[in-house]
Amino acid sequence: MHNNPKEHTVTLIIGSSGQLGSELASTLLKERPDKILICCDLHQGPAPDGAIFETLDVLDQSKLEDMIRRHGVQEIYHLAAMLSAKGEQNPAMAWRLNMEGLLNVLELSVKYGVGRVFWPSSIAAFGPGTPRDLVPQWPVMDPRTVYGISKLSGELWCQYYVQRFGLDVRSLRYPGIISWRTPPGGGTTDYAVEIFHEALRCGAYTSFLQAHTRLPMMYIDDAVRATLELMQADGERLSVRTSYNITAMSFTPLELAEAIQRRLPHFQIDYRVDFRQAIADTWPAVIDDQVARDDWGWNHHFDLSALVDEMLTNLAAIRERQR
Ligand code: AKB
């Protein structure tokens, strides 16, 4: 246990080397210096200066227990998961990691009195029975991927732990997250990150989704801010204890390519559709996140144009430094 003055919150990020975890860790350290931050993942990642890093497989319950007890963890962000496309390649493993991992975290959080837990759901929890446009907070949910099934089940487990054990679990249904520092790992929305790397590398991109497949998306800074704002929100105001709809924008591969072409006129896109198209076809195009906006003041900052500017500027600067 740390010599922890009362005002320091001990925060654990599980999956800290991933796309969201790595950015969340550096933002937490920058904006909340009152936190003691423990980062863990299967492999040592770029833990930001000031954080403690330990390797952890979230399926290893006794190691996770030791970590929570030893550090006196008060708050957990559990982000380790297998995403939609990778999950379809290995459904049994995806189910095990996504479900057992979550149950380990929930169980140990109750046992050790962890004050607050964050767990990510996804637009993958929706399915073909969900309205495609302006999906309300409480629609039909009939996911067709193992990842989506684990997200829907996980949402219900979170709500169960809130109601049965009084554990303060909070969750967001993320759309596709677009970032330039850390790549996503095995999702259906990954094309919207790859396209920027390829645009700058060779001026062309072959999309694995069709030109007109519209999906909800969000820039990483908005995703991190949404997460932190939800975690700081007054619990009394939270009417949703499964997972909140949130979104920032929706676009198709063609619209994204056109936005890139406005900055890089020679950029070309073509299409070679693969199995990920069938996954995207079961997901909604546009999300209604009014409940999140009403309950805890959610508001996105980045639209498509701002997103494209950020991605191209930051990736171009990295390429310049690497020369
Ligand atoms: C995926 O494509 O699997 C993820 C998600 C939408 O949850 N990015």
Side-chain angles (χ1 to χ4, degrees), residues 1-211:
M1 178 98 68
H2 298 272
N3 181 10
N4 181 14
K6 230 183 162 69
E7 67 275 11
H8 282 200
T9 308
V10 181
T11 298
L12 174 65
I13 301 182
I14 302 170
S16 63
S17 305
Q19 186 193 24
L20 183 61
S22 57
E23 303 251 1
L24 189 68
S26 39
T27 306
L28 272 174
L29 279 172
K30 225 181 301 142
E31 292 182 6
R32 311 276 146 73
D34 55 323
K35 284 193 192 301
I36 292 170
L37 186 60
I38 324 287
C39 289
C40 65
D41 209 307
L42 278 178
H43 307 289
Q44 169 89 53
D49 280 352
I52 299 162
F53 184 88
E54 296 186 15
T55 53
L56 176 82
D57 177 351
V58 71
L59 296 178
D60 186 341
Q61 199 186 27
S62 57
K63 192 161 178 195
L64 176 61
E65 177 161 9
D66 173 63
M67 200 177 263
I68 293 173
R69 199 179 26 77
R70 196 160 31 87
H71 292 292
V73 169
Q74 293 157 303
E75 178 183 67
I76 299 180
Y77 293 82
H78 170 38
L79 308 175
M82 196 182 288
L83 298 185
S84 58
K86 207 164 165 205
E88 291 310 286
Q89 317 286 6
N90 194 345
M93 187 55 212
W95 178 254
R96 190 158 170 251
L97 174 63
N98 296 358
M99 287 326 315
E100 265 180 50
L102 173 62
L103 289 172
N104 283 347
V105 170
L106 294 175
E107 200 58 29
L108 291 170
S109 294
V110 172
K111 185 167 173 185
Y112 288 94
V114 172
R116 206 160 280 180
V117 176
F118 178 82
W119 176 80
S121 185
S122 158
I123 54 165
F126 302 123
T130 307
R132 265 193 75 67
D133 287 313
L134 225 51
V135 176
Q137 178 63 47
W138 293 279
V140 169
M141 296 175 79
D142 56 348
R144 296 301 159 93
T145 60
V146 69
Y147 172 67
I149 298 169
S150 74
K151 289 299 177 191
L152 178 55
S153 312
E155 288 189 11
L156 295 172
W157 274 116
C158 290
Q159 180 175 253
Y160 180 83
Y161 270 76
V162 172
Q163 291 174 348
R164 173 89 198 265
F165 302 110
L167 181 65
D168 189 356
V169 193
R170 303 177 178 203
S171 175
L172 297 172
R173 290 175 183 149
Y174 291 117
I177 296 177
I178 298 160
S179 64
W180 52 272
R181 281 194 193 85
T182 316
T188 303
T189 57
D190 290 12
Y191 90 85
V193 176
E194 290 169 9
I195 193 170
F196 290 102
H197 289 268
E198 293 302 286
L200 290 168
R201 192 182 67 80
C202 63
Y205 179 64
T206 302
S207 170
F208 57 77
L209 295 185
Q210 279 164 6

